[in-house]
């Protein structure tokens, strides 16, 4: 059974090696073997396997010079390590390198060779098989290139824990250690590259792009990550297409149609060169220009695409390139390649033929196909242009430096350096095993692996804990995902002025280690768009919105397709293409163009505006007139008019009017907290003081004239002290209201932003409208009481208490304040203060004019009426008129009574009533009374006065006279004369109070 298994495995291995003859591998013996997978060809020839005969291995076509240079980098690194006295001394590294032909099938075919050899070694069949040509098992594999190929290889190698270190596979899917247990790489993860692409688009303010990705494990995850980053930056994707080098012509045509019809000028491509080449050829055929290509590192420097004949279409390419490294001595090593000298390299023969477009006579190909060969780019084309021709034989003396091929382009060693670094990573892991001290190892109980019998999984363990410094002085260690974090160079395609070839100009870099927002650096001065233009192309769905506008969403369109909408009032945008307008601060408002905020207009009843000046002038006029009246009253204080108006109360009334006019000034100017708290109480208390004085004056006179014979008690209650006490009490109530108001809800200055958007009204917030209502209501209550008394005493002597004018002034007061309420409620802003000022001034002028102007007129312009006789005449006339009315009333009553008793008829009596005083009258009657009597003698009714005796005569002339009736009437009226004397007594009692 054992012999049978041995034979079966040997047959498998023999079949595997038969598929890969000596010319299809690079192989060298050694103590430890490293495997290698490189794309020496770009693809395989299409062949229909109808299975009518045994399937044959497909043929690889289109020679890849860069792939061969990468293979040479691995061989160079191994030979350099073997010659190093410090790294793996006394140990020799060998290699087995295969061509993947850039396809999964060929890569798996080569990987099976590694796995099969390892399984043979694990069976320990040497004693049975006697294999003299035995090759040690492969303990690590360097490769592969494409992420899709590496994914397939990693799945297979991971089953046996054979470490795989890739130099060019950047798919982020490969960071999944649960699936790819033994995969590591010396190239950065695509996740950073996708982020960098989005950063570049954001940098140039593009937001309308298309995406193209290779339909493999490299393109799909890369473009998916880009979409995530684009969404975060509000970048819209117009189209998203998948491509492959094996896509049929119809699929390619469809993708080209999409590109041609799209308005997006920027196209993001996550693909390799071979996958992208068919698409680019069709675009060139259609001459679709004006597109900006954003290239991933897999094709950014691919010579399949960077060809001069393609430049007019893809000349605006910006791409990513890996950080270049330095490999000392590698240039000389590349120049030493020769089919006869490179006996261990089975790919050297084909390389020589492709380089010099000839064939070696002893080669396996007697008539190789002719190849279209292009100079000035990295990767040339081998067989595959569809034409066949015979090449001339090679002499073997050709000079490798005499031709320009991508093989000799060692100016920017990127992938080559990654290969070099991968080999050194494995070597340093083996060095750690070689120098391991028992007890400090990475395995159970600190044990170490045996370098002579090292197994692949042991090397993988040391690779995961690797930490060394490379030849450039950089620290190399794989993270938990088996990745190395690196930076990118940003390149722009230019045409060389020397030979017209495509060159890659470095225009910036992307630093993965920097802070977000500081990772990208681009030197725009070095960028040429389309090979000649410095102007950044436009790739937006809509034109940028100017400052003062914002982007408005169009229904049914992507967010990047928008219309520009003007910012509303109160909002602004000071940048181009703003997503939203910003609100202005509370005290600011947008300017006319909505590009910035300007301070809002401040409005209040200012001293300097015409309205404020007019109100101030009226208030000053009121103060001046009141002061003038007060001065007149002070100067003529001993005149009868001033005395008759209750001089002391008049002074207090004038003072209160001064306060009323002055309080209106607190409503003008910018409201401050102290003015807001002072103006309403000042107005309320001033008016209450004024109304209280008028009320006390009016009430006093009314009591005097309606009272019976004045007594000492009346004189006491009508005294000045009581009058001032009543004024104080009325005013004190208002003071209490104001104090409670200021304590509970004090008014304050208030900046009102709500009335008008562009204006800030600085007003006084009254704190409590109820308190303001109480203040005005109490004032109106006193005014109503005053009006009642004034109206009741309107027929009293006008020169004494001017009741008629007080009544009129109260009417004005009520009209003003009743009109004030709706006006106050319907106005806003500064006009609220203006309405109240107008009300205060109107009421104050009404009181001043009605009560004092007539007196000032008499004092200044009618001094003849400002005499004691004139005052007493008016008072006495009123008293006698009252007495006459009472006498007539009583006479009529007596006559009716006598008629009912005596029954005499036919004549009307003539009555005469005389009353003598027992003492001399201390107050002589005024001369006007005598004049009045003289004037009345010719009348039917007569009133006569005598010195010391008051006589009231009433005579009636009738056609018939009855003497008896006269005598009876005299006796009856003698008793009623006493009533008329009461009126005279009131006059006498009143005079001392004048």
């Amino acid at each position: 059974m054992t012999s049978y298994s041995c034979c079966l495995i040997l047959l498998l291995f023999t079949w595997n090696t038969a598929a890969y003859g000596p010319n299809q591998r690079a192989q060298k013996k050694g103590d430890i073997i490293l495997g290698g997978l490189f794309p020496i060809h770009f693809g395989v020839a299409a062949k229909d396997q109808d299975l009518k005969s045994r399937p044959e291995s497909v043929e690889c076509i289109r020679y890849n010079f860069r792939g061969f240079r990468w293979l040479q980098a691995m061989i160079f690194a191994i030979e350099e390590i073997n010659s190093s006295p410090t790294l793996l001394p006394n140990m020799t590294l060998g290699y087995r390198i295969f061509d993947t032909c850039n396809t999964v099938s060929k890569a798996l075919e080569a990987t099976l060779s590694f796995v099969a050899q390892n399984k043979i070694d694990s069976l320990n069949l040497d004693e049975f098989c006697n294999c003299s040509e035995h090759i040690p098992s492969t303990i690590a594999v360097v490769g592969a290139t494409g992420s899709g190929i590496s994914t397939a290889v990693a799945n297979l190698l991971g089953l046996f824990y054979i470490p795989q270190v890739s130099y060019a596979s950047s798919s982020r899917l490969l960071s999944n250690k649960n699936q790819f247990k033994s995969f590591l790489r010396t190239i950065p993860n695509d996740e950073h590259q996708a982020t960098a692409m989005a950063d570049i688009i954001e940098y140039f303010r593009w937001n309308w792009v298309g995406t193209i990705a290779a339909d493999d494990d490299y393109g799909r995850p890369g473009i998916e990550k880009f979409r995530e980053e684009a969404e975060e930056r509000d970048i819209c994707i117009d189209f998203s297409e998948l491509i492959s080098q094996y896509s049929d012509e119809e699929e390619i045509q469809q993708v080209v149609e999409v590109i041609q019809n799209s308005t997006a000028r920027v196209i993001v491509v996550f693909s390799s060169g071979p996958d992208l080449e068919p698409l680019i050829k069709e675009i060139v055929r259609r001459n679709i220009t004006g597109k900006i290509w954003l290239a991933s590192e897999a094709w950014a420097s691919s010579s399949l695409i960077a060809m001069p004949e393609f430049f007019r279409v893809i000349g605006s390419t910006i791409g990513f390139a890996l950080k270049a490294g330095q490999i000392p001595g590698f240039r000389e090593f590349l120049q030493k390649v020769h089919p006869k000298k490179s006996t261990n390299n089975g790919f050297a023969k084909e390389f020589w033929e492709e380089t010099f477009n000839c064939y070696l006579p002893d080669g396996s190909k007697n008539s190789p196909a002719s190849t279209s060969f292009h100079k000035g780019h990295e990767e040339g084309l081998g067989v595959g242009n569809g034409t066949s021709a015979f090449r001339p034989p090679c002499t073997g003396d050709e000079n490798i430096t005499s031709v320009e091929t991508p093989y000799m382009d060692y100016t920017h060693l990127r992938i080559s350096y990654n290969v070099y670094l991968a080999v050194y990573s494995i070597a340093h892991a083996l060095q750690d095993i070689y120098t391991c001290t028992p007890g400090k190892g990475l395995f159970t109980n600190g044990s170490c692996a045996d370098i002579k019998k090292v197994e692949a999984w042991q090397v993988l363990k040391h690779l995961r804990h690797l930490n060394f410094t490379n030849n450039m002085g950089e620290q190399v260690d794989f993270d938990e995902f088996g990745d190395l974090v690196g930076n990118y160079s940003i390149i722009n395609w230019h045409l060389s002025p020397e030979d017209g070839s495509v060159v890659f100009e470095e225009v910036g870099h992307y630093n993965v280690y920097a802070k977000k927002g500081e990772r990208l650096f681009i030197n725009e001065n070095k960028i040429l768009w389309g090979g000649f233009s410095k102007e950044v192309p436009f790739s937006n769905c809509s034109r940028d919105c100017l400052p003062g506008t914002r982007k408005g969403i169009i229904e049914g369109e992507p967010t990047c397709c928008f219309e520009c909408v003007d910012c509303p009032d109160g909002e602004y945008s000071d940048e181009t293409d703003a997503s939203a307008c910003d609100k202005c601060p509370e005290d600011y408002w947008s300017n006319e163009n909505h590009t910035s905020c300007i301070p809002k207009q401040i409005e209040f009843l200012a001293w300097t505006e015409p309205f404020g000046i007019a109100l101030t002038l009226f208030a000053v006029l009121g103060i001046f007139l009141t002061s003038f009246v007060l001065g007149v009253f002070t100067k003529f204080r001993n005149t009868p008019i001033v005395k008759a108006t209750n001089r002391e109360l008049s002074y207090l009334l004038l003072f209160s009017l001064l306060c009323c006019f002055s309080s209106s000034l607190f409503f003008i100017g910018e409201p401050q907290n102290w003015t807001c708290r002072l103006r309403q109480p000042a107005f309320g208390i001033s008016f209450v003081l004024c109304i209280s004085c008028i009320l006390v004056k009016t009430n006093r006179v009314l009591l005097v004239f309606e009272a019976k014979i004045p007594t000492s008690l009346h004189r006491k209650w009508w005294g000045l002290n009581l009058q001032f006490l009543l004024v104080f009490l009325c005013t004190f109530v208002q003071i209490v209201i104001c104090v409670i108001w200021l304590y509970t809800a004090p008014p304050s200055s208030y900046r009102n932003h709500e009335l008008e958007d562009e204006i800030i009204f600085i007003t006084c917030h009254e704190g409590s409208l109820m308190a303001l209502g109480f203040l005005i209501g109490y004032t109106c209550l006193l005014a109503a009481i005053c009006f009642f008394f004034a109206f009741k005493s309107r027929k009293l002597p006008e020169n004494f208490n001017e009741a008629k004018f007080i009544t009129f002034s109260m009417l004005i007061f009520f009209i003003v304040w009743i009109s004030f309420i709706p006006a106050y409620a319907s106005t806003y802003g500064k006009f609220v203060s203006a309405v109240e000022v107008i009300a205060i001034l109107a009421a104050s002028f009404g009181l001043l004019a009605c009560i004092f102007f007539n007196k000032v007129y008499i004092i200044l312009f009618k001094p003849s009426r400002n005499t004691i006789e004139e005052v007493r005449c008016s008072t006495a006339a009123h008293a006698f008129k009252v007495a006459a009315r009472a006498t007539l009333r009583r006479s009529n009553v007596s006559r009716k009574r006598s008629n009912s008793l005596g029954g005499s008829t036919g004549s009307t009596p003539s009555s005469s009533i005389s009353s003598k005083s027992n003492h001399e009258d201390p107050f002589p009657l005024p001369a006007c009374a005598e004049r009045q009597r003289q004037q009345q003698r010719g009348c039917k009714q007569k009133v006569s006065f005598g010195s010391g005796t008051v006589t009231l005569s009433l005579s009636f002339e009738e056609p018939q006279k009855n003497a008896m009736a006269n005598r009876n009437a005299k006796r009856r009226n003698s008793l009623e004369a006493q009533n008329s004397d009461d009126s005279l007594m009131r006059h006498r009692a009143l005079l001392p109070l004048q």
Side-chain angles (χ1 to χ4, degrees), residues 330-631:
F330 186 52
R331 176 182 180 181
E332 292 75 12
F333 178 80
L334 293 177
Q335 294 175 353
K336 292 179 181 179
V337 63
H338 195 279
K340 295 181 180 180
K341 296 179 181 178
S342 304
T343 56
N344 296 320
N345 191 344
F347 301 104
K349 175 180 178 294
E350 186 178 2
F351 163 75
W352 198 265
E353 293 175 339
E354 295 294 336
T355 300
F356 298 104
N357 198 22
C358 63
Y359 77 95
L360 293 173
D362 57 346
S364 58
K365 297 179 182 179
N366 295 326
S367 58
S370 178
T371 301
S372 298
F373 177 70
H374 304 281
K375 297 181 180 181
H377 54 274
E378 289 189 7
E379 293 175 344
L381 295 178
V383 179
N385 63 345
T387 61
S388 297
F390 290 98
R391 292 174 175 175
C394 300
T395 63
D397 297 327
E398 292 87 357
N399 185 2
I400 193 67
T401 60
S402 63
V403 294
E404 294 183 4
T405 64
Y407 171 78
M408 292 300 297
D409 184 8
Y410 46 80
T411 54
H412 299 288
L413 300 177
R414 296 185 172 94
I415 300 298
S416 298
Y417 184 76
N418 286 351
V419 174
Y420 181 81
L421 189 61
V423 175
Y424 265 88
S425 298
I426 299 171
H428 277 279
L430 293 172
Q431 177 71 13
D432 291 341
I433 295 174
Y434 181 79
T435 59
C436 178
T437 302
K440 297 181 180 181
L442 300 178
F443 305 102
T444 306
N445 299 324
S447 60
C448 298
D450 186 358
I451 190 64
K452 295 182 180 180
K453 298 181 179 181
V454 65
E455 298 184 32
W457 65 271
Q458 294 172 327
V459 177
L460 177 61
K461 178 70 173 178
H462 278 271
L463 280 172
R464 290 178 178 177
H465 294 81
L466 184 66
N467 192 336
F468 73 99
T469 303
N470 62 14
N471 66 322
M472 297 180 64
E474 298 173 345
Q475 201 70 19
V476 178
D477 61 327
F478 297 100
D479 61 17
E480 58 182 326
F481 303 108
D483 300 336
L484 287 182
V485 179
N487 299 324
Y488 292 98
S489 297
I490 300 174
I491 59 176
N492 179 223
W493 290 13
H494 292 181
L495 272 179
S496 173
E498 298 175 358
D499 56 6
S501 62
V502 178
V503 295
F504 309 114
E505 180 71 22
E506 185 170 338
V507 296
H509 61 266
Y510 188 83
N511 186 358
V512 177
Y513 299 97
K515 296 180 180 179
K516 189 174 182 180
E518 301 178 359
R519 297 173 181 173
L520 180 66
F521 170 77
I522 293 180
N523 187 352
E524 292 189 49
N525 295 326
K526 290 185 176 181
I527 299 178
L528 293 179
W529 304 100
F532 60 89
S533 177
K534 289 284 187 178
E535 182 180 358
V536 178
F538 179 83
S539 183
N540 296 61
C541 184
S542 302
R543 286 287 174 182
D544 292 343
C545 292
L546 299 176
T549 62
R550 65 171 179 84
K551 296 186 290 187
I553 298 175
I554 302 176
E555 188 175 356
E557 295 290 338
T559 57
C560 298
C561 300
F562 51 82
E563 58 183 355
C564 296
V565 180
D566 291 335
C567 291
D569 292 337
E571 298 182 8
Y572 75 101
S573 65
D574 57 356
E575 59 183 11
T576 302
D577 210 16
S579 299
C581 298
D582 298 322
K583 286 189 175 181
C584 290
E586 189 177 20
D587 292 343
Y588 289 80
W589 192 250
S590 56
N591 61 0
E592 184 177 356
N593 297 325
H594 300 280
T595 57
S596 63
C597 291
I598 57 177
K600 286 184 178 180
Q601 181 181 350
I602 305 295
E603 279 205 4
F604 52 86
L605 190 58
W607 299 98
T608 55
E609 64 176 290
F611 199 20
I613 293 173
L615 293 177
T616 303
L617 291 178
F618 276 107
V620 173
L621 177 62
I623 294 172
F624 171 76
L625 292 177
T626 305
S627 302
F628 176 75
V629 173
L630 181 59

Side-chain angles (χ1 to χ4, degrees), residues 198-217:
D199 287 344
I200 287 179
I201 294 174
E202 186 179 33
Y203 176 85
F204 289 111
R205 303 181 63 84
W206 297 324
N207 63 11
W208 190 237
V209 301
T211 63
I212 296 174
D215 191 10
D216 55 23
D217 289 337

Side-chain angles (χ1 to χ4, degrees), residues 626 629 653-654 656-658 660-661 683 686-695 697 779 783 786-787 802 805-814 816-817 839-855:
T626 305
V629 173
L653 177 58
L654 288 169
S656 65
L657 285 174
L658 280 174
C660 289
F661 284 114
F683 142 71
S686 300
F687 265 94
V688 165
L689 179 61
C690 179
I691 300 299
S692 299
C693 293
I694 299 173
L695 175 61
K697 286 182 62 177
T779 305
C786 184
F787 174 77
E802 62 274 13
F805 295 104
I806 292 177
T807 304
F808 187 66
S809 68
M810 289 299 103
L811 285 175
I812 295 176
F813 185 87
F814 277 117
V816 169
W817 290 107
I840 292 172
L841 294 178
S844 300
F845 274 114
L847 294 174
L848 178 65
C850 292
I851 296 176
F852 292 102
F853 281 5
N854 63 325
K855 296 177 178 59

Side-chain angles (χ1 to χ4, degrees), residues 95 784 821 975:
Y95 52 82
I821 294 173
L975 296 174

